[in-house]
Amino acid sequence: MTTSLITGATSGIGAAFARRLGADGHGLVLVARDERRLAATAADLRQRYGVEVEVLPADLTEDDGIAAVEARLRDRARPVDVLVNNAGAGNRGTFLDVPVADELRMLKLHCEAVLRLTAAAVGAMRERRYGFVVNVASVAAFMPRGTYGASKAWVVRFTEGVAAEAAGSGVRLLALCPGFVRTEFHARAGMDAGRLPAVAWLDADAVVTACLRDLALRRTVSVPSVRYKLAVALARHVPSRLYAAASTRAGRRFDPKL
């Protein structure tokens, strides 16, 4: 049986991956901080899809949490075939307004945790010559937008680099770069997502479908939806200072105090 481990698995894109992979018959390892919510999510998935579901409570902004997931990924008696590094967070406000400690916590989650979990998973997968890693980034990776955009740009470049190194090993990696998705992400960060137009939003299940299609096509970067593909293409040609100014104005739509 194929086993998939998903971080940030109880809501948003992570929950959509759990539903899709569970429907495909994968055994699941769900990682999140909230034990009660993990248990409820696991019970629902077991009942709905009849698959084995394991829960692993872990805070990936802490060393102990990252180490616990690393150990599970390296467990040769219970191999993981698919890793989805989905857990993420954002900070309300611009870089100059956010406490440095909060920015460092986000970097630990977006960069250190992704690096360590990818290393643990790929090491075990290469021994079996089979496996897949999806690292969830963002279209913000292609736009100058503070620490969040910079950390997601790191995720994209890191994933592309490891994918190239792993070529021919039976292990494939992909960076998923969605635009705005209706999840709990913005509410947890204290952002007013209601200020964005309806056309900006993507459905989490559709994002997962696009990601798995691009993974099957052996792509290393997936940008779901035509409108966001166009936004990324535009970002590559517009001077960065202009895009930075536009991105800052867009950020103020989330927080009228900025």
Side-chain angles (χ1 to χ4, degrees):
M1 178 181 65
T2 300
T3 298
S4 296
L5 186 150
I6 306 162
T7 70
T10 57
S11 65
I13 294 173
F17 268 108
R19 290 192 298 270
R20 171 60 184 272
L21 296 173
D24 288 345
H26 291 214
L28 301 171
V29 183
L30 308 182
V31 179
R33 292 179 298 176
D34 189 328
E35 292 188 45
R36 292 179 60 185
R37 196 168 182 184
L38 270 175
T41 301
D44 177 66
L45 292 166
R46 290 188 195 106
Q47 182 177 21
R48 189 182 302 190
Y49 303 115
V51 297
E52 295 182 11
V53 185
E54 174 187 345
V55 297
L56 177 51
D59 183 346
L60 298 181
T61 66
E62 301 289 341
D63 282 327
D64 288 348
I66 298 173
V69 183
E70 283 178 309
R72 179 62 184 84
L73 290 165
R74 291 189 175 119
D75 187 345
R76 287 168 174 77
R78 298 179 297 161
V80 171
D81 306 288
V82 179
L83 166 64
V84 180
N85 274 317
N86 166 73
N91 291 321
R92 180 180 177 180
T94 62
F95 172 74
L96 297 178
D97 299 316
V98 175
V100 170
D102 292 347
E103 299 282 62
L104 290 173
R105 190 174 301 110
M106 180 166 61
L107 285 175
K108 193 172 189 75
L109 178 61
H110 290 178
C111 300
E112 182 178 341
V114 168
L115 184 154
R116 289 171 60 179
L117 299 189
T118 298
V122 171
M125 290 172 181
R126 288 178 71 193
E127 292 180 4
R128 303 191 307 274
R129 298 194 62 79
Y130 178 81
F132 304 88
V133 176
V134 174
N135 290 328
V136 179
S138 167
V139 292
F142 306 98
M143 305 164 191
R145 177 65 177 143
T147 305
Y148 182 83
S151 66
K152 293 302 187 179
W154 180 89
V155 171
V156 173
R157 293 305 186 196
F158 169 73
T159 303
E160 290 178 316
V162 180
E165 292 180 27
S169 71
V171 181
R172 299 213 306 271
L173 294 93
L174 177 142
L176 172 61
C177 302
F180 293 104
V181 183
R182 292 197 182 278
T183 69
E184 298 174 6
F185 174 91
H186 302 98
R188 287 199 302 265
M191 301 174 183
D192 182 7
R195 291 169 171 261
L196 280 175
V199 71
W201 293 102
L202 300 176
D203 172 74
D205 293 305
V207 166
V208 170
T209 296
C211 172
L212 295 180
R213 182 179 61 244
D214 285 340
L215 188 61
L217 292 171
R218 297 181 174 271
R219 292 173 177 157
T220 55
V221 177
S222 175
V223 181
S225 89
V226 172
R227 57 188 177 277
Y228 281 111
K229 284 181 172 64
L230 291 173
V232 170
L234 182 63
R236 296 182 189 278
H237 295 92
V238 173
S240 60
R241 62 183 178 82
L242 297 180
Y243 226 120
S247 179
T248 299
R249 287 196 296 272
R252 291 194 176 103
R253 300 193 69 161
F254 284 124
D255 189 347
K257 294 180 182 179
L258 293 179

